[in-house]
Every structure is written in structure tokens, then in C-alpha cells.
Amino acid sequence: MDDWFSVIEARSELSAAAVQDLRDVGFVVVPGPVAPDRLAQFAEAYDSAVAGAAADDVSIGSSTTRVNDFVNRGPEFDALYVYKPVLEACCRIIGQPFKLSTMHARTVRPYSQAQNLHVDFRREGDGWPMVGFIMMVDEFRGDNGATRFVPGSHKWSTIPADFPPCKSADYEGQVLACGPAGSVIVYNGSVWHGHTANQAGEPRRSIQGAYIRRDAESSVNQAARMRPETLGRIGHLAKYVLAI
């Protein structure tokens, strides 16, 4: 099919309230594609994929551990980047043909400090706008590093004068995106956000992805990294989203 964008755009997977939140607030939390009775198996697949990743795909930061290329980590993860509500959000926000730029695992380690508030894509930057998603492998709570967002900040043209010098500090009006395991956060890449401190004694796991305009340069060359077993099992929509 040559016009997947029109097919996706014609769907109504998101409620009117969810669309409004994406436009005005900058993010929304929706149910995810993994059935509740499969979440334990999904978490096991996540841990196995992370443990088996090559060293050059693993990045250890001050508070999180990131593992790249979850497009090729197993069939358990194939449904994430073609999840219809997320693709509809891409149509609504990007407004033109798009593609997946990257999809990776990110674990907030126990007793980690809060992440600095930041944007994934600056307004009017090369490839703007961007849509991101965060799939909660674990429940996101106020004590285990749930992601915080500053509502409406995706509309800012400049950083406000009252923005805290320490970007890891709380910001007035910030909102925590909490939800049960399996939930998906969909957000505008220009909204200010960052994970909060993980005060719990357990890691907080997630899978994150980003979509950009189809004519922009991806963070990951999906075609170059595509494994034969992945290519053999995915469908035409997935190939469109991956631009392969």
C-alpha cells in the first residue's frame, strides 16, 4: 500500500479528550497493546533482551541504563511501534508522513536522582515535530521514578524566566504520568519532561520510541540494522513505519 498515512489518519483510536490533551497539555496516558495476562511474560522478555544485548548497544548514564534497537529484540516488542493510538497521535501532531526514529529500553535504577527537565526536540528544530511514547513495563508511581511533564510547555517559544536553575528540581505545575504496568504515555517531543527520583528499591523499566517526519534523518538506520528474522515476521504497516 502506497498511502499508509491516509489509512492511519482516517482511524479514530484516540478519544476526543486524549487528542485535546495531546494538543493542549502535551501528553496523555492510554492503555497499551499488551494484554494484562501477558505482562509478566513481557517483563521477562524485556529482562532477557536487556541481559543479552551487546555492549555497544548499552549506555549507562547517571540514573538510567539504556539498551538500543528494540525493533530487533524479539516478537514480543513488534506491536509497540505500530500501536494504532500512537500512530494516530503521529498523524495529529506531525501532520505528514512519518517514521520511527528509534525504540529502546530504559531502566531507571533504584535510588536514582531525578532527571533534568528537557525536551526531546526543540520547536522548529530539524525534523520537528516529534512524537514519543513510553510503554510502562512496571507501574509508574510517585516513588519509583515516574516521568513528570510540564503541561503546555511544548508551546513555549522561550524558556520562562521562572524556570529553575537546577533543572532536576520540581517545577510548579508539573504533572506525574502515573499508571499501571502496560500503560503507554504518548507525548509531544517538545514538552518539558524528565523522570523523577526513584526512591524505591527496585528498578523502574520502560520501552521508549520516537517518530519524526519521513523526510528527516533518523537516530537509527532501521534498514541497516534490520535482522532477517525481524524482516520475515513483520507486516507491511511495520515496514512503512520503519521506512524499509
Side-chain angles (χ1 to χ4, degrees):
M1 184 179 295
D2 295 327
D3 197 9
W4 274 109
F5 179 81
S6 295
V7 172
I8 298 166
E9 188 179 31
R11 293 170 175 163
S12 298
E13 301 291 338
L14 293 169
S15 67
V19 172
Q20 195 70 32
D21 280 345
L22 275 173
R23 290 177 174 166
D24 297 341
V25 182
F27 80 97
V28 67
V29 180
V30 300
V34 181
D37 62 355
R38 293 185 56 246
L39 286 171
Q41 179 182 354
F42 185 88
E44 290 177 2
Y46 177 100
D47 289 341
S48 178
V50 168
D56 57 358
D57 276 336
V58 180
S59 176
I60 299 177
S62 60
S63 60
T64 66
T65 299
R66 170 173 166 162
V67 177
N68 293 326
D69 193 24
F70 256 65
V71 168
N72 285 296
R73 298 292 170 189
E76 298 86 355
F77 313 111
D78 292 347
L80 299 186
Y81 63 90
V82 293
Y83 189 42
K84 292 176 182 178
V86 176
L87 299 187
E88 183 186 340
C90 291
C91 291
R92 303 271 187 173
I93 295 174
I94 298 175
Q96 61 180 283
F98 59 88
K99 61 186 176 183
L100 185 75
S101 178
T102 183
M103 187 169 83
H104 55 266
R106 174 159 278 169
T107 300
V108 180
R109 297 191 298 274
Y111 307 115
S112 295
Q113 298 299 309
Q115 183 184 26
N116 286 348
L117 286 168
H118 65 282
V119 298
D120 290 342
F121 244 100
R122 297 179 64 180
R123 287 177 56 85
E124 308 299 344
D126 186 25
W128 181 87
M130 188 211 92
V131 171
F133 76 83
I134 303 172
M135 193 271 189
M136 304 179 191
V137 179
D138 298 302
E139 177 185 14
F140 275 33
R141 306 187 309 269
D143 69 337
N144 75 343
T147 304
R148 57 184 173 144
F149 292 86
V150 180
S153 55
H154 58 299
K155 300 179 179 181
W156 294 347
S157 58
T158 59
I159 298 176
D162 63 346
F163 204 82
C166 175
K167 292 182 180 179
S168 65
D170 289 344
Y171 186 73
E172 184 177 0
Q174 70 180 29
V175 175
L176 297 188
C178 296
S183 303
V184 173
I185 306 168
V186 190
Y187 66 96
N188 188 309
S190 297
V191 70
W192 282 88
H193 65 284
H195 71 75
T196 53
N198 184 358
Q199 301 169 334
E202 297 178 344
R204 195 272 284 150
R205 299 166 293 179
S206 67
I207 296 176
Q208 306 181 2
Y211 303 81
I212 57 174
R213 295 196 323 254
R214 204 165 181 84
D215 61 356
E217 184 176 355
S218 297
S219 296
V220 174
N221 184 334
Q222 304 291 352
R225 293 214 53 152
M226 185 59 51
R227 296 178 183 175
E229 59 267 29
T230 304
L231 188 62
R233 70 173 181 260
I234 62 175
H236 295 297
L237 175 59
K239 292 174 182 177
Y240 169 80
V241 172
L242 298 172
I244 58 174

